[in-house]
Amino acid sequence: MESNQVNLEQLWATPRVEHSDIKEVYQSIDTYRLKKVKMNWALAIIGVSTIGWIIGIYIWLLDTEFAGSLWVILGSLCCGITMMLFMFNYYRLNSLMPESILTQSTSDYIALLTKEKKQQLQLSKVWMNVYIVTLITGIAIFTYPFIVKIDSAIVGGKNIVLMGYYIVLGIWAGVNMYWNKKMNTKKIIKLEQMISSLQAIK
């Protein structure tokens, strides 16, 4: 009798999840999966285009006075390596989720989303910030000789344009880091909500 009472109490304490709620949770997981597929493709296109742009600009500068500039060479290498490292770590931490939700159990999806949450935290807190800082640094190095020449032509080499340019770059880096933190916080909250909903079903 006592065991029956315990089982009834446990059953009473377990949150009830309606069928419509279960369907909604699965739909939200599938929507997240599809967004992730689109983001992976978008990043691949942006990454390849950026690397191609860097190579194209460097080739275009070969017949100019900036061809042998150490600033241009170092800046190009910094931007190119930064982009490749970021893409490598992004795809390493962003493996695609299974297409069919019906082939996965609730426990499988809880484990999958928990792993996804940890990977997104690592990506947003570490790699995104490293990427933004090193990319901005690469751009600053790459464009230095151009900005110096512009500064000399406009204000006679008083570094006013140079300082203004680097202040703008710094602000841009700060805005990107803030936006990255805000967007990834929303993503983590969404993942936590899906995990909680699946745990309630389980």
Side-chain angles (χ1 to χ4, degrees):
M1 183 67 182
E2 183 180 352
S3 61
N4 290 335
Q5 184 180 357
V6 171
N7 290 335
L8 286 172
E9 288 176 354
Q10 290 176 344
L11 183 61
W12 182 260
T14 302
R16 296 187 63 183
V17 180
E18 300 296 335
H19 180 72
S20 59
D21 295 332
I22 296 173
K23 186 177 180 181
E24 186 178 340
V25 173
Y26 284 164
Q27 283 178 341
S28 65
I29 294 173
D30 199 42
T31 300
Y32 180 85
R33 181 187 67 81
L34 291 173
K35 285 182 179 179
K36 192 171 181 179
V37 171
K38 291 177 182 178
M39 182 60 71
N40 284 3
W41 274 107
L43 183 66
I45 294 170
I46 292 170
V48 171
S49 300
T50 303
I51 293 172
W53 178 80
I54 293 169
I55 295 172
I57 290 294
Y58 186 76
I59 293 173
W60 179 67
L61 291 173
L62 288 177
D63 295 329
T64 68
E65 61 184 285
F66 303 106
S69 173
L70 184 62
W71 295 98
V72 172
I73 295 171
L74 289 177
S76 300
L77 288 173
C78 185
C79 290
I81 292 172
T82 296
M83 181 60 71
M84 287 188 287
L85 285 176
F86 172 73
M87 289 179 68
F88 170 77
N89 284 288
Y90 180 88
Y91 286 108
R92 180 175 64 86
L93 296 171
N94 267 283
S95 54
L96 294 177
M97 300 171 71
E99 290 186 17
S100 178
I101 294 173
L102 297 177
T103 62
Q104 302 293 315
S105 67
T106 304
S107 299
D108 289 337
Y109 262 96
I110 291 173
L112 191 66
L113 292 175
T114 301
K115 181 182 177 182
E116 174 78 7
K117 177 186 170 183
K118 290 179 181 178
Q119 290 177 334
Q120 290 301 320
L121 283 170
Q122 183 182 352
L123 184 66
S124 61
K125 288 188 174 181
V126 179
W127 292 110
M128 277 300 295
N129 290 330
V130 170
Y131 163 71
I132 291 170
V133 170
T134 51
L135 182 64
I136 294 294
T137 302
I139 292 172
I141 295 171
F142 180 85
T143 55
Y144 175 77
F146 306 99
I147 303 302
V148 168
K149 188 168 185 177
I150 293 170
D151 189 86
S152 299
I154 295 176
V155 292
K158 295 181 179 179
N159 296 331
I160 296 175
V161 176
L162 189 67
M163 288 188 293
Y165 174 72
Y166 284 125
I167 288 171
V168 170
L169 275 183
I171 293 172
W172 184 39
V175 169
N176 275 277
M177 292 176 77
Y178 171 78
W179 181 82
N180 168 61
K181 181 180 179 181
K182 185 177 180 180
M183 295 302 295
N184 280 283
T185 298
K186 288 183 179 179
K187 186 183 288 186
I188 297 302
I189 290 172
K190 181 66 176 176
L191 285 168
E192 288 175 344
Q193 289 173 344
M194 289 191 289
I195 292 169
S196 298
S197 299
L198 286 170
Q199 287 173 338
I201 294 170
K202 184 181 176 184

